[in-house]
Amino acid sequence: MTAMAALAAGLCLGPSAALAQTTLAEFKFDEGTGATTTSSVNGLVGHLGGMIDPANEPLIVTDSPSGKSGDTAVQMAGTGFLVVDDSVNPILDIRADHFTMEAWIKVDPNDTREWEGVMAYGGSYKLGLHNGELIFTLFGIVDIFSGLTVPMGEWHHVAIAWYPGVGVTFFLDGGNETPIAETRTFRALQNNILGVGSEGLGQPIMA
């Protein structure tokens, strides 16, 4: 996603337990117009981020995984991205927990950027792509490579499950389960910002 021509139809982030999962944020990108999008859980609001090129602002589009009428997605292009300020009563600092991150993405086959961010929090952790390969990043510590390539030009569901002290398991389209061992932990939060479609964020300029 980040600064590339890509589409996202739903982002989900939440801690997991052996028998249940609690969703902390879920952006469905179904509002249709405007400069904000709101999580259907906990009411977090995403805004157009700083350094926006008006020609490349995120767009609401009708292309979606289901293809159904009324099902929409957000297209990230150029320098366009979304930011969610979680600094008041923060709920997304779940670094000590087992958690999952997932999204539907469609990457423009003409995109040539090496690093892409699907979503990242606090300058601490990120779900993204490196040359089309699904990765999970502990910022300042390590990029964990999955070995799974996300085909361009089509909708795909990507997800990771993080297990502290064990590692990360990657999923592509609900399968291709790939566990990678990693016992290192996250660095301290740099901020309380969730970035959607952005490789890295400091404090944003709110739209």
Side-chain angles (χ1 to χ4, degrees), residues 95-115:
R95 295 169 297 150
D97 298 323
H98 164 202
F99 65 83
T100 62
M101 302 173 76
E102 58 184 302
W104 281 96
I105 63 172
K106 180 179 179 180
V107 183
D108 186 337
N110 296 315
D111 183 69
T112 59
R113 292 171 177 83
E114 181 180 3
W115 299 92

Side-chain angles (χ1 to χ4, degrees), residues 91-165:
I91 61 173
L92 299 181
D93 182 10
I94 51 178
R95 295 169 297 150
D97 298 323
H98 164 202
F99 65 83
T100 62
M101 302 173 76
E102 58 184 302
W104 281 96
I105 63 172
K106 180 179 179 180
V107 183
D108 186 337
N110 296 315
D111 183 69
T112 59
R113 292 171 177 83
E114 181 180 3
W115 299 92
E116 310 291 1
V118 175
M119 63 180 121
Y121 183 69
S124 187
Y125 60 83
K126 180 193 77 174
L127 169 64
L129 302 173
H130 176 257
N131 289 327
E133 181 180 351
L134 188 62
I135 64 170
F136 183 62
T137 295
L138 311 184
F139 281 114
I141 308 295
V142 64
D143 290 306
I144 306 169
F145 293 85
S146 67
L148 300 174
T149 299
V150 179
M152 293 188 172
E154 305 168 350
W155 281 106
H156 294 279
H157 185 267
V158 296
I160 64 93
W162 170 256
Y163 302 83

